[in-house]
Amino acid sequence: MAGARPSAPASESELLARAQGLAGRTLGRIAAEAGLEAPADQKRMKGWVGEIIEWCLGADAAALPEPDFRAIGVELKTLPVNSLGRPAESTYVCVVPLTGELGEWKRSNVYRKLARVLWVPVEADRGLPLRHRRIGNAFLWSPDVDEEQALRTDWEELTEMIARDGLDRVSARHGRCLQIRPKAAHARVLTRHASPDGASIQTNPRGFYLRAKFTGEILAALHAGGVRP
DNA sequence: AGCTGATCATAT
DNA sequence: ATATGATCAGCT
């Protein structure tokens, strides 16, 4: 790498200022500053956008089950947006725990991951090469009361459904803002899961995802001048 | 066009 | 295999 990785930000305002400093720049440009080149094969480097932004901002918890910015407890999420500025994809949150207790909402990984998020919109039209994609205006977010209620309701319903009917009865069609979808290298990857009757079975790992409709509403509230906590 | 199920890269 | 980072691809 040509450039040195920035140190971790010491505060939310420092992180936000850094992230907003990326607005309008292309991924090719910030990659060059890190001594990298944007991959030509964007179909294979699915996580590259998130990783380069993490690098630029000094995230220090990569590949750990913790917030990206450990000291200040902030999670970084890039938000792929189309030419209209609307989210083009769902947002992965975390894996669905398949063993152990159900727990309660406020102790769930979903709640903890989403408690404080730095959203970084990035252009993501499929025909646009990675190096030409521009970064948008980053913003800090926590769920407001309505959003948290909606997330909590989905989480509790999905969790109860798994316990009552089994994971294999839960599809991506369930959940208004939070959904469950496969999360693995491929469909043959299996992990252990306790079925409702107590038997241990093998199943494809799943993840919690935010629907694009939900993240789109977060963006819309911003543009409407909504005040956020 | 939107959505669901499947998939790709990397680190531990 | 499990977790991180996500987007792809095909069907409705």
Side-chain angles (χ1 to χ4, degrees), chain A residues 118-200:
Chain A
L118 177 72
W119 293 104
V120 182
V122 179
E123 286 183 323
D125 289 299
R126 290 202 183 171
L128 186 61
L130 284 173
R131 70 180 180 284
H132 293 326
R133 298 185 185 185
R134 285 171 300 168
I135 300 168
N137 196 246
F139 62 98
L140 282 162
W141 171 85
S142 294
D144 66 20
V145 285
D146 293 333
E147 289 162 342
E148 186 185 333
Q149 181 58 52
L151 290 166
R152 176 180 189 146
T153 299
D154 280 348
W155 182 86
E156 289 176 345
E157 288 181 1
L158 291 166
T159 298
E160 287 166 16
M161 205 177 302
I162 294 171
R164 188 182 61 240
D165 306 324
L167 180 63
D168 292 341
R169 294 284 299 277
V170 181
S171 81
R173 292 173 174 78
H174 301 287
R176 298 169 59 83
C177 52
L178 192 65
Q179 65 178 168
I180 287 177
R181 304 217 307 279
K183 174 60 174 163
H186 49 77
R188 286 111 53 209
V189 173
L190 296 175
T191 190
R192 209 174 66 257
H193 165 51
S195 63
D197 60 20
S200 181

Side-chain angles (χ1 to χ4, degrees), chain A residues 17-74:
Chain A
R18 281 190 201 178
Q20 290 179 334
L22 300 176
R25 308 176 70 191
T26 65
L27 295 178
R29 180 130 168 75
I30 66 169
E33 287 166 15
L36 301 172
E37 220 169 274
D41 187 359
Q42 53 206 62
K43 288 183 175 53
R44 294 187 165 275
M45 301 296 282
K46 296 183 182 179
W48 186 82
V49 176
E51 285 153 10
I52 189 70
I53 303 279
E54 278 186 344
W55 192 93
C56 287
L57 297 178
D60 57 0
L64 294 177
E66 297 177 44
D68 295 294
F69 301 95
R70 283 186 286 184
I72 56 177
V74 176

Side-chain angles (χ1 to χ4, degrees), chain A residues 61-113:
Chain A
L64 294 177
E66 297 177 44
D68 295 294
F69 301 95
R70 283 186 286 184
I72 56 177
V74 176
E75 175 72 15
L76 171 67
K77 289 291 178 199
T78 58
L79 190 56
V81 293
N82 62 23
S83 53
L84 300 175
R86 311 300 306 174
E89 287 286 350
S90 57
T91 299
Y92 169 67
V93 180
C94 60
V95 296
V96 178
L98 298 181
T99 55
E101 315 299 309
L102 289 180
E104 65 168 313
W105 165 241
K106 294 232 172 182
R107 282 202 269 278
S108 70
N109 292 150
V110 174
Y111 176 81
R112 291 189 295 210
K113 282 271 187 181

